[in-house]
Amino acid sequence: MNILQALFFPPEQPGGVSSMIPYIQERYLKKGWEMELFSLPKRIRNKGTEAFEFSTFDWRPFAGNPVVDKYIQTYKDYVWWTKLRILKDYDLIHAHHPIAALVMKQLFPDIPVIVTIHSSYERELILNGKIVENGLEHQFLTSLYREMEEKVNRIVTVSVSFKTYLSDYVQDFDQIVVIPNGFDEKRFRPFPHENATTQFITVCRLVPAKGLDILFQACSLLKQNGHSFVLHLIGDGPMRPELEKMAVDLNIYEETIFYGYMLHPEEFMPFFDVFVLPSQAEAFGSVFAEAALCLLALVGTNVGGIAEQIEDGRNGLLVPVGNASALSHALEKLIIDPSFRYNLARAAWEKAKKTYSMNRVISQMTKVYERYRK
């Protein structure tokens, strides 16, 4: 089969789907399949002018809201770029973003299009304080799920919890396929080490939805209780100045290291002890699986895809969202009991190798692809 993987972010974008698809492509090319990657370059802005319509709702009443206007313009830009660059037919198009899916089906109605929905843009915007729940922007973004159901040949998502979330916005919930993300094990090399001081690490965009204020409060409680640690923070984003000030105010600035953006954090993670990220929501939470493959103990919140990866007390620790005291107690357990910490890390590593292997993803995706073989 000749398959086009239609991304939104360029493949070199770190994290999640963008970093996973090239490894999927590599596996399929070795199997003798044809597979190409396509995405919208960051430099392509405000090029598209072609009018379009959705089938299941009228987007024009939502116009005038900045989030909606930007989304519509990006859709038009994707149309413009696709018409310019895609000059051949494919047996199947696998899109990884609503815009990519809907544009591809608009321009190539006779080619089967499947879409993997990896996360919820509207939930991220709500949690980051950018839009209001049930406001016009929220209504517009959630309407796109029904539009995709109407247009594309198959919807795939990455966790049972996110499939449940989508059930409020589609008509045939049972037709959604769940295929959790997978990871190429060659990227991850656990490194045996003994750190005299417990090393925490988190990798994320520095935005409110990731719960980093709760993490800092928990670390402050740890320090007040006499525990030593270092918190390594990989990532960048609009909250960085606020977080740097918070670290000073909470008296943990000396224990906290801000690295900023890093292209391949998995090369860095194996040298630490505990991965912690108290997100308010995660459709899957790829970074937890990546940390597990680096043989780190996991601490996360009891939400979404995180709770599907972590069985509390067996291969990691789960805490309630927004509870700094509970997070502090969980981290304290891992500081005072290195054997417990190692056992959790080992169990997480074993589950990740079995459940989130790239071989499993290839097997499941191949079954979906084969349905559309000519």
Side-chain angles (χ1 to χ4, degrees):
M1 292 184 75
N2 187 4
I3 298 174
L4 178 69
Q5 298 284 350
L7 306 171
F8 182 73
F9 295 113
E12 66 270 15
Q13 183 82 9
V17 58
S18 295
S19 62
M20 182 178 70
I21 299 305
Y23 295 96
I24 290 177
Q25 180 193 33
E26 179 184 354
R27 293 293 185 95
Y28 275 103
L29 292 176
K30 287 181 179 178
K31 285 162 60 75
W33 294 44
E34 296 180 71
M35 184 171 287
E36 299 175 25
L37 308 185
F38 179 81
S39 62
L40 183 69
K42 291 184 177 180
R43 67 179 182 275
I44 304 300
R45 294 293 183 269
N46 300 314
K47 295 289 189 180
T49 59
E50 185 175 321
F52 69 93
E53 303 288 341
F54 292 131
S55 297
T56 58
F57 74 104
D58 183 0
W59 66 265
R60 283 181 292 266
F62 301 98
N65 296 283
V67 168
V68 175
D69 290 349
K70 182 178 180 180
Y71 204 96
I72 292 299
Q73 183 57 55
T74 305
Y75 188 102
K76 293 178 178 180
D77 290 343
Y78 208 104
V79 169
W80 180 86
W81 182 244
T82 302
K83 283 187 168 183
L84 186 68
R85 301 295 296 177
I86 302 296
L87 304 176
K88 58 182 285 189
D89 285 334
Y90 295 89
D91 298 317
L92 176 71
I93 298 174
H94 185 175
H96 296 271
H97 189 279
I99 287 177
L102 294 173
V103 168
M104 289 297 169
K105 200 61 182 178
Q106 174 188 325
L107 298 182
F108 307 105
D110 296 328
I111 298 177
V113 174
I114 66 174
V115 58
T116 298
I117 305 174
H118 294 267
S119 62
S120 166
Y121 184 46
E122 67 277 2
R123 290 170 72 187
E124 177 184 336
L125 291 175
I126 291 169
L127 292 171
N128 290 333
K130 301 296 185 182
I131 67 172
V132 178
E133 189 167 7
N134 297 321
L136 287 175
E137 298 97 333
H138 187 211
Q139 294 174 41
F140 168 80
L141 292 169
T142 54
S143 295
L144 294 170
Y145 296 127
R146 175 70 188 101
E147 181 72 11
M148 282 187 286
E149 182 185 32
E150 180 73 16
K151 292 288 185 62
V152 306
N153 299 81
R154 181 69 63 180
I155 293 177
V156 179
T157 193
V158 292
S159 66
V160 174
S161 66
F162 198 70
K163 176 178 176 176
T164 302
Y165 170 80
L166 292 174
S167 66
D168 288 338
Y169 306 110
V170 299
Q171 292 185 352
D172 196 350
F173 161 82
D174 291 331
Q175 291 300 309
I176 298 175
V177 176
V178 175
I179 301 181
N181 289 341
F183 306 89
D184 193 310
E185 291 180 23
K186 296 193 297 291
R187 294 170 54 203
F188 306 95
R189 295 184 174 88
F191 182 81
H193 61 278
E194 294 289 340
N195 290 317
T197 300
T198 304
Q199 307 290 308
F200 301 142
I201 184 168
T202 193
V203 181
C204 65
R205 181 162 162 75
L206 307 188
V207 293
K210 298 302 181 182
L212 297 173
D213 56 334
I214 301 299
L215 175 57
F216 278 30
Q217 292 169 33
C219 287
S220 179
L221 291 172
L222 284 174
K223 185 172 182 179
Q224 291 173 37
N225 290 328
H227 297 294
S228 298
F229 62 88
V230 178
L231 173 62
H232 304 264
L233 196 61
I234 296 178
D236 215 336
M239 278 191 74
R240 179 162 179 169
E242 178 184 342
L243 290 170
E244 289 179 338
K245 182 180 184 302
M246 186 181 296
V248 173
D249 293 342
L250 292 172
N251 193 31
I252 58 168
Y253 191 78
E254 294 298 320
E255 288 80 13
T256 305
I257 303 175
F258 291 84
Y259 291 86
Y261 165 83
M262 186 177 293
L263 183 57
H264 292 293
E266 72 275 7
E267 297 175 358
F268 200 51
M269 285 196 284
F271 298 94
F272 304 110
D273 303 304
V274 178
F275 178 83
V276 52
L277 183 60
S279 296
Q280 297 181 53
E282 292 284 353
F284 178 72
S286 294
V287 71
F288 282 90
E290 293 174 337
L293 289 166
C294 291
L295 200 58
L296 302 186
L298 308 178
V299 181
T301 37
N302 191 12
V303 294
I306 300 174
E308 292 180 29
Q309 294 186 58
I310 297 176
E311 182 181 341
D312 186 43
R314 196 192 75 80
N315 67 333
L317 297 176
L318 290 173
V319 299
V321 171
N323 192 325
S325 177
L327 181 57
S328 179
H329 285 310
L331 294 173
E332 183 178 45
K333 290 179 183 179
L334 301 183
I335 290 176
I336 65 178
D337 193 343
S339 295
F340 178 55
R341 184 174 74 215
Y342 175 78
N343 289 336
L344 290 181
R346 183 77 185 185
W349 178 75
E350 290 173 350
K351 176 179 178 178
K353 285 189 68 176
K354 178 181 179 181
T355 308
Y356 305 116
S357 73
M358 186 63 71
N359 289 337
R360 189 266 307 157
V361 173
I362 297 300
S363 175
Q364 289 182 283
M365 285 309 313
T366 299
K367 291 178 181 178
V368 176
Y369 292 161
E370 289 283 5
R371 296 176 186 176
Y372 305 100
R373 183 182 287 275
K374 295 179 180 179

